[in-house]
């Protein structure tokens, strides 16, 4: 046997080596037998990836529950890059394969607000561990979401068609705007509102003509990210009563003093009671008529001043609604023929 403990060197190999392979050598000389294999075997090490890649964030700030994106500048070909936290090397996202140019990686959602130093580990696929931790990192700020557990009231309520509901958000937060939305189609209802005192925030729905479930979107405007969240609690509003979208017309909308015109109402075939009223004093104009799908015409009576006329519909149960369509009549000072008696003295 040969004593390999003194060490050996091999050069000029024509066979490619691979990382993780066990390498041994033997020796021989003319007239002598081949020696035993060198021991212990030498494990071929990998050529480690570069650990000085520049790391940047696509955005410097994100919201809680958002995925962040980072860029590995000048990634190496066939190197696997994985986003990690600088603090403890925890893996926080999805790996990507380097392609010789900039590589974008996506993190898992950040669940807690704060500032995080993010970098990557770089791994060369081979038979042994060949991983380095990048020396450069980037800072990412995660901004908090508004409180989504605030109480919203009333939870359920019923109104007549054309009425509105005041929605109360208890303990609304400063610097947060609250937007009502139709839960069915995410369409905004009114404008966003913000608490301006120590009181709970109250937002009106405005006129409603159909049953609706309303949700609240809270947005934090104190950060550039404008982090938003949908509140857990919603409001269901059941709308009852006659149709408020019925056609009302007037025969003449400009009159001379002490003249009259007709108000015409195209009724639904609903059997409800219809009454035309004056806006100036809410007095009845003409008699009540029943909705039968026909057009009903009622005289305004002689008018001496401008007047607006509207229609109320009573379902006879719980709702008296005001039809949206109204008509205004303008009264002008009209010139009239004046006849003078002339007496001629003889």
């Amino acid at each position: 046997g040969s004593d390999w403990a003194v060490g050996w060197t091999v050069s000029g190999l024509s066979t490619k080596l691979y990382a993780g392979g066990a390498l041994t050598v033997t020796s021989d000389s003319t007239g002598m037998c081949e020696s035993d294999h060198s021991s212990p075997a030498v494990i071929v090490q990998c050529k480690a990836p570069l650990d000085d890649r520049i790391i940047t964030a696509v955005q410097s700030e994100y919201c809680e529950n958002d995925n962040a994106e980072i860029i590995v500048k000048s990634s190496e070909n066939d190197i696997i890059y994985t986003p990690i936290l600088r603090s403890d090397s925890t893996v926080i996202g999805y790996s990507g394969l380097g392609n010789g140019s900039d590589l974008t990686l996506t993190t898992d959602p950040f669940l807690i607000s704060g500032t995080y130093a993010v970098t990557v580990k770089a791994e060369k696929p081979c038979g042994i561990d060949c991983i380095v931790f990048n020396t450069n990192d980037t800072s990412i700020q995660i901004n908090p979401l508004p409180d989504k557990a605030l109480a919203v009231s009333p939870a359920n309520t019923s109104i007549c068609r054309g009425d509105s509901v005041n929605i109360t958000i208890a303990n609304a937060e400063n610097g947060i705007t609250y937007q009502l939305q139709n839960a069915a189609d995410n369409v905004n209802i009114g404008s966003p509102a913000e608490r301006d005192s120590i009181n709970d925030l109250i937002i009106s729905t405005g006129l409603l003509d159909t049953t609706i479930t309303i949700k609240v979107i809270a947005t934090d405007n104190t950060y550039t990210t404008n982090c938003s969240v949908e509140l857990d609690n919603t409001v269901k509003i059941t709308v009852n009563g006659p149709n408020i979208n019925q056609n009302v017309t007037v025969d003449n909308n400009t009159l001379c003093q002490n003249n009259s015109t007709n108000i015409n109402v195209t009724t639904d075939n609903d059997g409800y009671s219809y009454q035309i009223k004056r806006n100036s004093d809410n007095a009845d104009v003409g008699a009540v008529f029943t909705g039968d799908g026909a057009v009903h015409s009622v005289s305004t009576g002689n008018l001496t001043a401008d007047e607006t006329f509207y229609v109320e519909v009573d379902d006879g149960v719980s709702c008296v609604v005001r039809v949206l369509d109204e008509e205004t009549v303008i009264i002008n000072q009209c010139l009239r023929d004046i006849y003078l008696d002339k007496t001629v003295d003889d």
Side-chain angles (χ1 to χ4, degrees):
S2 300
D3 183 6
W4 296 103
V6 297
W8 50 272
T9 300
V10 177
S11 62
L13 291 175
S14 60
T15 301
K16 291 184 178 179
L17 302 180
Y18 60 91
L23 181 64
T24 62
V25 295
T26 61
S27 65
D28 60 16
S29 59
T30 303
M32 299 184 67
C33 295
E34 182 181 5
S35 71
D36 294 334
H37 284 265
S38 59
S39 180
V42 174
I43 304 301
V44 179
Q45 301 301 306
C46 73
K47 181 181 179 182
L50 298 175
D51 65 357
D52 61 351
R53 302 299 84 186
I54 300 299
I55 310 296
T56 61
V58 174
Q59 296 176 202
S60 60
E61 297 183 32
Y62 292 87
C63 299
E64 286 178 340
N65 297 332
D66 280 352
N67 301 84
E69 289 185 315
I70 62 171
I71 299 173
V72 182
K73 295 289 189 178
S74 302
S75 66
E76 291 187 273
N77 282 317
D78 301 325
I79 299 298
I80 299 171
Y81 295 91
T82 306
I84 61 173
L85 292 179
R86 166 66 70 201
S87 58
D88 59 7
S89 300
T90 298
V91 173
I92 58 167
Y94 307 97
S95 300
L97 188 64
N99 55 12
S101 59
D102 293 350
L103 176 68
T104 300
L105 300 176
T106 302
T107 73
D108 297 325
F110 284 89
L111 304 181
I112 301 174
S113 61
T115 301
Y116 296 85
V118 177
T119 187
V120 295
K121 67 175 182 179
E123 180 177 3
K124 178 179 289 186
C126 60
I128 60 173
D129 287 341
C130 191
I131 299 173
V132 296
F133 295 93
N134 204 67
T135 56
N136 298 311
D137 57 44
T138 187
S139 179
I140 296 176
Q141 179 177 318
I142 305 300
N143 297 325
L145 293 172
D147 185 354
K148 62 182 296 188
L150 300 180
V152 180
S153 61
N156 298 283
T157 191
S158 295
I159 62 170
C160 292
R161 205 172 308 276
D163 288 347
S164 63
V165 174
N166 285 333
I167 293 179
T168 300
I169 302 169
N171 301 313
E173 299 177 278
N174 288 323
I176 308 296
T177 57
Y178 297 86
Q179 173 70 62
L180 303 185
Q181 281 189 352
N182 185 338
D185 56 14
N186 302 324
V187 172
N188 288 345
I189 299 172
S191 300
E194 184 175 351
R195 190 183 79 169
D196 58 4
S197 68
I198 61 174
N199 299 322
D200 296 336
L201 177 62
I202 298 176
I203 309 176
S204 174
T205 62
L207 179 153
L208 295 173
D209 66 355
T210 188
T211 295
I212 188 173
T213 297
I214 293 178
K215 64 182 180 180
V216 182
I217 305 299
T219 302
D220 189 342
N221 299 299
T222 60
Y223 299 97
T224 59
T225 45
N226 294 323
C227 298
S228 295
V229 67
E230 180 180 324
L231 299 193
D232 294 331
N233 298 302
T234 60
V235 174
K236 182 177 181 180
I237 302 171
T238 302
V239 177
N240 302 307
N243 178 19
I244 59 175
N245 293 293
Q246 301 188 60
N247 190 44
V248 180
T249 62
V250 62
D251 286 349
N252 295 292
N253 56 18
T254 302
L255 297 175
C256 293
Q257 278 186 328
N258 294 314
N259 284 340
S260 65
T261 187
N262 287 331
I263 303 297
N264 311 299
V265 182
T266 303
T267 64
D268 285 349
N269 188 17
D270 52 21
Y272 297 151
S273 298
Y274 287 69
Q275 176 67 64
I276 297 175
K277 289 179 170 285
R278 288 197 302 258
N279 193 64
S280 60
D281 57 6
N282 297 315
D284 293 346
V285 177
V288 172
F289 51 92
T290 300
D292 55 7
V295 177
H296 291 257
S297 298
V298 176
S299 175
T300 62
N302 290 343
L303 300 175
T304 59
D306 298 350
E307 185 62 77
T308 296
F309 297 88
Y310 66 93
V311 181
E312 279 189 347
V313 187
D314 188 345
D315 66 4
V317 180
S318 60
C319 287
V320 178
V321 304
R322 181 166 173 163
V323 174
L324 295 178
D325 199 2
E326 301 178 354
E327 291 294 338
T328 297
V329 178
I330 304 299
I331 303 303
N332 292 327
Q333 298 290 333
C334 298
L335 295 176
R336 298 180 180 276
D337 292 332
I338 300 175
Y339 295 92
L340 300 176
D341 289 333
K342 182 178 180 181
T343 301
V344 178
D345 295 335
D346 293 337

